[in-house]
Amino acid sequence: MKKGCILLGSVFICFFIWSGKKVEYAVSETIPEKLEKVYAINFQSFKNEVEVLVSLADNSMFGNELQLQRQVGKTRLAYKKIEFIFDYYQSAYNGAYINGAPLPKISEYFEGGNVIEPSGLQALDEAVFEEASKEQLKRIKVLAAGLRTHVDYVSKIHFPLQLKPSQIIESIRSGLVRIFTLGITGFDTPGSVNGIQESYVSLRSMKNALMYFEADIHPQAKSIFNTIKKLFEKGESLLSFNTSFNDFDRMVFLKEVINPLYAGLLEFQNLNSIKLEPYRKHAQDYQSKNIFDVNFLSTNFYSELVYLPLDNPKTIDLGKMLFEDAQLSKNNTMSCLSCHNPNLGFTDGLPKSASNKEGFFTARNSPTVINAGYATRYFWDMREFNLEKQVTHVIDDNLEFNTSFDTIIRKLNKNSNYQKLFKTAYGGIVKNDINERSISNAIAAYVNSLKSFNSQFDKYVRNEINEYPESAKRGFNLFMGKGACGSCHFAPIFNGSVPPFYVESESEVLGIIQGFDSINPKLDEDLGRMKNGLKADNYPFFKNSFKTVSIRNIELTAPYMHNGSFLSLEEVLEFYNLGGGAGMGLPVENQILSSTPLNLSKQEIKDIIAFMESLTDIERFTTLMN
């Protein structure tokens, strides 16, 4: 008998809390088969709520806005019972049509690369809380009808669903990540700010799904299973319905529920001999034990198409040499270090980087390359798709290295040490070991190795240290809650790689201004992503849109933003506090950042900065450079 697959006992009828409906099971049904039945019932309940919503929207008039809000809430709660499984198996469709961010999208999977207008549950959550008007009611009607169409369609391709034990557990673990990064941050509920209640329903649904494993547990797994049950119960208690969004203690929830559950579920899976069988490849490494472990996300996921894997110590060492070598520039005057100084968090401390021409500067600020490997798009304007190709842009740019690979290859071939190192690392692949791909690969390998997950914050949430400033704790809770920072800078990288699967990277329209002038602000004229040279990004909603970069080591990387216009973190926080460019009265098209002021106090701003400063971790890199 397979562990985790066959339930002991005879035919019985069970009330399952997950659905609240009576479910009859046949003899010897497996755990996945039982869950498939309950999941199908819950999916139908969600469809039923969608039908009620469509009917209500079709007959909506002024004065029944509250009814619409309540029904959208009921529909979303019904969805939260199935989301951890649905999103695991239908993540692309979910993000495009069911519960993705309420923004226009370009999807390679759907609509032939055309624009997908905002749709789904998040768009509805936002719409029903906006000021009522005839136009708004029409939009809600269209959104509700569109949701029904998409739910009806996906139900035809989604069923029959064939679950596997390990995939159930992986979907629960990913569901925990979703709760922590998208639920309690308010990302999922842009209108209602109902993320705490929805997270409660999600957590309870995942717990009830896991309880099916209780009837067939290996003796060694019983203790951890009981611990997991208690952790779920504690999470439910913390997410109780009377907990307000701003008062919720996200640090306690992370340390005492999310991380222990994430680790405990893996231990249970291993002790119960449940084979690892992922449904599809994600950036998550399902062997990791903590959301803030260095191996929680695998950079190999983002670099599958490179010349050689980027985790080879030989190519990393060679890449470090190239990174520091001025021979790569035309006049031997610049190296990668020129703009990426380890002591400054691999930035240069300038608003815009110095060029190879005296008195001239590049178009944008130099971002850190620490943790650069955890993304699907590169440069501020998102114009490149992997670390190797990013190197080419720097070498070709007439303000940067201003040279060619042919010239660099000739220089390196004159150096016997480089010849030896390239032969050791790349020998036998092609005739000439020193070539464009091998040079780019080596530099990419070094950049990819610059991983920063050993800050004071990381050690504290991994329970490696006991001391952590109270101001930073408050700041973390504000960052992930009231400040809405964590709804764009997603944990654990705190960049724009989107959880829970981290398979795409985001850019944002913030209404960045020229210099910090809150009295007479002037909008920065850089068009950003819309003019990055890629046809797929040449849309108005990408105008002034820039990559969401990591805030790790941010205390070292001033000045800030793509134009280096903010000299301090205080200025950055005040800009967000005012509602970005639109909140400061500028006509910013498609600003993603809410223009509504955050109403952060001076102390709250100090606390958020204290948290961000606790993410500093460069000791290893500066030691390596000495």
Side-chain angles (χ1 to χ4, degrees), residues 43 46-54 57 71-76 78-79 86 93-94 96-100 117-125 139-155:
F43 195 96
F46 168 56
K47 287 184 68 176
N48 293 342
E49 294 295 345
V50 172
E51 289 294 335
V52 174
L53 175 60
V54 170
Q71 184 55 40
V72 168
K74 285 184 64 179
T75 307
R76 287 188 57 84
Y79 175 71
F86 180 75
Y93 198 85
N94 180 50
Y97 297 115
I98 307 299
N99 194 36
E117 294 298 332
S119 62
L121 291 165
Q122 283 193 46
L124 278 160
D125 186 85
R139 180 167 178 262
I140 293 169
K141 180 179 178 179
V142 170
L143 287 171
L147 178 63
R148 176 174 61 183
T149 298
H150 292 131
V151 170
D152 287 346
Y153 169 77
V154 78
S155 64

Side-chain angles (χ1 to χ4, degrees), residues 364 377-385 393 507 526-539 542 545:
R364 296 178 182 136
R377 303 285 289 270
Y378 299 93
F379 292 106
W380 280 108
D381 60 10
M382 311 274 279
R383 66 183 181 271
E384 197 46 82
F385 291 83
H393 293 260
S507 62
D526 192 333
L527 297 179
R529 186 173 177 179
M530 188 177 81
K531 292 298 180 182
N532 64 10
L534 301 176
K535 183 179 178 181
D537 287 349
N538 189 18
Y539 288 95
F542 286 140
S545 186

